[in-house]
Amino acid sequence: MFDLRTDVSADVLYTRNDPNDPRLGDRVRTDRVAYDDCTTVLLGCPQDEGVRRNKGRRGARKAPDAIRKQLYKLGVFGMDHVSLFDLGDTIVEGNLEAIHERHQRIVETVLRDGKRLIALGGGNDISYPDMAGLAQVEPNAAAVNIDAHFDVRADTPRNSGTPYRQLLSEGHLVPERFFEVGYQPHANSPAYFEYLADLSVRAVSLDKVQQRGIERVLSEFTDTSGAALFWGFDMDAVRASDAPGVSAPNANGLAGTDLIDAARVAGGDPRTRVFEITEVNPQYDIDNRTSRLAAVVIWHFLHTKHPQLP
């Protein structure tokens, strides 16, 4: 597994060198001997070839380190239970298919080792190897896609808009255990809505999520789902005022606080095995606003097992 990835750069491991104010950069482990003792693993996939193929704007390849720089600045209040290992980045040589194969092999190894995985795109196409890897380890796994888009395009070759169609058509994911959350009708084709409806996939629009609350929507889905959970957080589900640096920005969308609430749901569910964030595009960000939000979302995912802050 270690031969399929590159080490994380020391430049992203923030420290104040202050024993009275430790940060996650002081706590995260990167030395191989620590891998066995850590319960959560972070893995990046710094490529946006799938976005290019999908005619989107490039730049998401820079996201893993941009998110790390913000994440490792955050404090450790209430994080004593967290044992985080940064595995670095999947090697992104070759075409997208080769990258996905390599990434999936790493995902499977991490999950078979009994660890939770935090996966950082790159493009949303990594939902395919992330979920396929989980399906090899947990055949009855369910997937939640929090996204403005369905990502079930019928395109060939694969791209950032095809991952869930690939997963469904190849049997890695069954329709009754797949949930689409926060889709926006203006950002999707009716043909793909009909495709999901024909499969009886449950999908809740942004309007319905805003009316009912994201925690309620997610609890209704996951209460009856499988033995393991995959969570895909595409940052373009968030309104552009909160997340301007994404591959496909939206004027309307979830609030940043909605995504934090969703991260708490995911972090607090013992069935969660993979937590994925994609489509952050630092090239178009404003004051690192989107990377900061992604980092805080991950922080709350990690923190949730601990009692809430006073």
Side-chain angles (χ1 to χ4, degrees):
M1 174 182 70
F2 284 94
D3 293 336
L4 302 175
R5 29 63 68 206
T6 58
D7 290 334
V8 63
S9 170
D11 294 341
V12 304
L13 302 176
Y14 180 85
T15 180
R16 287 177 58 89
N17 293 309
D18 182 352
N20 293 316
D21 189 12
R23 305 299 174 93
L24 275 178
D26 296 306
R27 295 281 184 87
V28 66
R29 302 295 300 274
T30 60
D31 47 320
R32 295 189 187 189
V33 295
Y35 172 80
D36 289 342
D37 295 329
C38 292
T39 59
T40 303
V41 171
L42 188 146
L43 173 67
C45 190
Q47 58 78 29
D48 51 18
E49 172 60 17
V51 176
R52 185 197 67 79
R53 290 183 180 184
N54 198 22
K55 301 179 175 62
R57 57 183 189 176
R58 304 291 296 270
R61 65 189 180 279
K62 300 176 182 178
D65 274 358
I67 295 170
R68 285 181 172 109
K69 286 179 181 179
Q70 303 306 322
L71 175 65
Y72 293 142
K73 290 179 182 179
L74 300 180
V76 297
F77 193 127
M79 303 283 270
D80 289 346
H81 64 286
V82 174
S83 55
L84 178 63
F85 184 87
D86 195 320
L87 190 57
D89 294 328
T90 299
I91 294 171
V92 292
E93 296 174 355
N95 61 21
L96 189 61
E97 289 74 15
I99 294 168
H100 283 180
E101 190 275 335
R102 192 178 300 121
H103 187 82
Q104 182 176 333
R105 287 171 60 190
I106 301 174
V107 170
E108 288 185 32
T109 301
V110 169
L111 296 178
R112 290 190 192 281
D113 288 340
K115 304 178 189 304
R116 273 185 169 183
L117 176 69
I118 299 171
L120 303 180
N124 200 26
D125 51 88
I126 70 161
S127 294
Y128 173 74
D130 284 339
M131 180 61 202
L134 175 57
Q136 296 304 308
V137 180
E138 298 278 1
N140 295 319
V144 180
N145 178 37
I146 300 177
D147 198 340
H149 307 95
F150 293 134
D151 287 339
V152 292
R153 299 185 69 86
D155 300 350
T156 302
R158 70 181 69 176
N159 60 49
S160 63
T162 65
Y164 293 103
R165 194 179 193 106
Q166 292 175 259
L167 291 164
L168 290 164
S169 64
E170 295 177 16
H172 299 299
L173 180 61
V174 296
E176 58 266 31
R177 290 196 288 271
F178 178 41
F179 313 109
E180 296 268 24
V181 178
Y183 76 87
Q184 300 191 41
H186 70 265
N188 291 280
S189 163
Y192 299 135
F193 179 82
E194 291 170 9
Y195 166 79
L196 292 171
D198 288 345
L199 292 175
S200 299
V201 170
R202 284 183 280 175
V204 178
S205 68
L206 173 65
D207 287 348
K208 292 296 173 91
V209 173
Q210 290 172 329
Q211 291 168 14
R212 297 166 61 193
I214 195 164
E215 291 179 275
R216 179 181 173 187
V217 169
L218 294 177
S219 65
E220 290 173 355
F221 281 168
T222 57
D223 281 350
T224 58
S225 61
L229 293 175
F230 163 92
W231 299 83
F233 282 40
D234 186 321
M235 293 296 289
D236 72 23
V238 181
R239 60 196 181 195
S241 57
D242 289 0
V246 297
S247 299
N250 284 293
N252 192 17
L254 298 171
T257 51
D258 291 327
L259 218 59
I260 290 169
D261 289 341
R264 291 194 184 107
V265 174
D269 195 314
R271 298 168 297 171
T272 295
R273 300 299 309 279
V274 180
F275 182 79
E276 173 197 274
I277 290 183
T278 59
E279 302 289 356
V280 171
N281 190 329
Q283 187 168 321
Y284 294 93
D285 211 356
I286 300 171
D287 193 28
N288 299 312
R289 191 182 305 168
T290 313
S291 296
R292 292 175 193 268
L293 175 59
V296 170
V297 166
I298 295 169
W299 189 94
H300 282 279
F301 171 78
L302 290 168
H303 179 269
T304 303
K305 287 187 177 181
H306 194 84
Q308 296 298 306
L309 291 169

